[in-house]
Structure formats: structure tokens, C-alpha cells
Amino acid sequence: MRVILAEDSTLLREGLVRLLTEEGHKVPAAVSDGEALVAAVAEHEPDIVVVDVRMPPTHTDEGLRAALEIRRRWPGVKVLVLSQYVEKRYATELMSSDVEGVGYLLKDRVAQVGDFLDALERVGAGGAAFDPEVVRQLLARTTQVDPLARLTAREREVLERMAQGLTNASIAQSLHVSQSAVEKHVNSLFDKLRLSHASGYSRRVLAVLHFLES
């Protein structure tokens, strides 16, 4: 894939460039701020961008705002966001629209090279990849919301893994149950979250994200 990186830490940025190049990806640009990222996307038309949430000059939400602008102006470009901590507001904002081709990982996950590359490939293919810790904390915000409170413990386990972008087969393997059992749980939680009418892959993640702003 053609990957553009946006990370203000020179050490991490150069390390990612080397890793991605060794894995056979092309990195036409690696920048250190949000404005440069948007300009690089306009010039190089990448398949995916990997962007830190906090970058110069204020180190608040420059990366996120750039990611949202890219999603708006170039909807075909996938976005994988990296963050030092779980930024609940930022994660919710990024994930509250179309969640296909979107990922949100904690930087600690980058150190686990296999997990990072798997997330990159998943997002690049149009799927979703959300850090398990991000999902856990976002779900914690919704414990008082009635629709989620109706889910069984097993349905919540399935829901968390769905939000991470796992397929039914992967969920079944993770929970040590049959795939048909997972499919029953998925259909049940869709009914409880009133998402049965939705279609396509996106409802798998919307099942988690639909209530995040409550």
C-alpha cells in the first residue's frame, strides 16, 4: 500500500518508515504536523494515512482534525490514528461517522509489530481496527445506557471483539465457541441495539459506537 505517516517524534516516524518499507509498503511522505499531512495527501493520493492525534503547534488535536478533513475531502483514503492515551472525545468524533477504513490504536500497540501491521492491513482493506483498551474505555462510558444494559455478558464480549474489527470466525476462536453461536449472539445484539435494519459491515462497529455520545 501507499502509506503517508504523520508523527512529530522523529525517532518513531523514521522507525515506522523503515518498518513499512521492509514490509513492502511505499511511503511517499512522512511529515510532522497536520497541515503537512493534508498537503501530502493532496499531492500523493495514498491508500492510507497513519497519524498521531497530538502534533505541533499546540499538541492537542491537530492530527485528529487533519484526519477528519482527509475523511471528508478524500473518502477513499483510509485513516489509522495513533494516540499515547485513550482520548475518548477524539475517538468518538473520529468513529461517529462512517467507520469503514478507520482505526484507532494506542502507541503501545505499535511496539507489538504484528498487531500494528495487522491493524494497518485491516484498515487498508476497508475494515476497522480499534485498540482493545480504547473499546473497553468507550464501552465503560455507556454502562448506564439502557440498550447496552440489555446485553448479556457473552453478547458484550462479542460486541467488544466486533468493535476491534474481528470477523465472526476470529471471535469464535477467541471465545472458544462455535461460529454459529457467535452469529446468534451477533443477531441478538443487533436486535437489542435496534440495528437489524442496517446493512453492510459498518453495523458491526456501529453496534458499539451508536451510543458513545450519549
Side-chain angles (χ1 to χ4, degrees):
M1 293 185 293
R2 291 168 56 81
V3 185
I4 289 181
L5 298 173
E7 165 61 57
D8 65 307
S9 167
T10 302
L11 184 62
L12 179 55
R13 185 173 65 248
E14 295 304 318
L16 287 173
V17 169
R18 181 173 180 177
L19 171 64
L20 294 174
T21 301
E22 290 177 349
E23 290 295 320
H25 301 293
K26 295 181 180 180
V27 184
V31 301
S32 60
D33 64 77
E35 289 186 3
L37 171 60
V38 174
V41 171
E43 178 180 355
H44 298 288
E45 299 182 355
D47 299 304
I48 185 172
V49 298
V50 178
V51 53
D52 187 10
V53 167
R54 299 186 176 191
M55 292 193 295
T58 68
H59 293 279
T60 54
D61 63 351
E62 285 83 1
L64 177 81
R65 286 189 282 108
L68 292 172
E69 181 176 351
I70 290 167
R71 293 284 288 172
R72 182 177 66 254
R73 294 175 57 183
W74 298 280
V77 176
K78 314 304 189 297
V79 174
L80 178 57
V81 171
L82 304 179
S83 181
Q84 189 68 44
Y85 309 102
V86 179
E87 309 271 7
K88 293 182 180 180
R89 178 170 64 87
Y90 299 154
T92 301
E93 187 173 358
L94 178 69
M95 294 149 54
S96 62
S97 57
D98 185 1
V99 292
E100 295 184 1
V102 174
Y104 191 111
L105 296 182
L106 295 181
K107 285 188 175 180
D108 288 347
R109 193 71 53 186
V110 177
Q112 302 177 39
V113 175
D115 289 346
F116 169 70
L117 292 174
D118 177 69
L120 183 76
E121 294 287 349
R122 195 185 307 165
V123 173
F130 302 132
D131 194 287
E133 181 62 18
V134 173
V135 174
R136 187 188 69 78
Q137 292 200 28
L138 292 178
L139 278 174
R141 289 183 58 196
T142 65
T143 54
Q144 302 303 314
V145 178
D146 287 341
L148 286 181
R150 291 200 297 266
L151 300 183
T152 66
R154 177 63 83 186
E155 287 167 351
R156 289 181 67 89
E157 290 177 331
V158 171
L159 185 56
E160 290 184 21
R161 287 157 176 79
M162 285 170 54
Q164 294 170 32
L166 299 185
T167 64
N168 286 354
S170 297
I171 294 172
Q173 184 176 12
S174 172
L175 296 177
H176 306 290
V177 298
S178 67
Q179 186 169 333
S180 62
V182 171
E183 291 170 354
K184 291 178 181 178
H185 290 310
V186 168
N187 290 332
S188 176
L189 67 88
F190 281 162
D191 288 339
K192 292 179 180 179
L193 299 183
R194 301 174 184 174
L195 291 172
S196 298
H197 64 282
S199 61
Y201 173 82
S202 61
R203 71 175 179 173
R204 295 179 63 83
V205 182
L206 287 173
V208 174
L209 305 179
H210 188 69
F211 299 102
L212 288 183
E213 293 180 328
S214 301

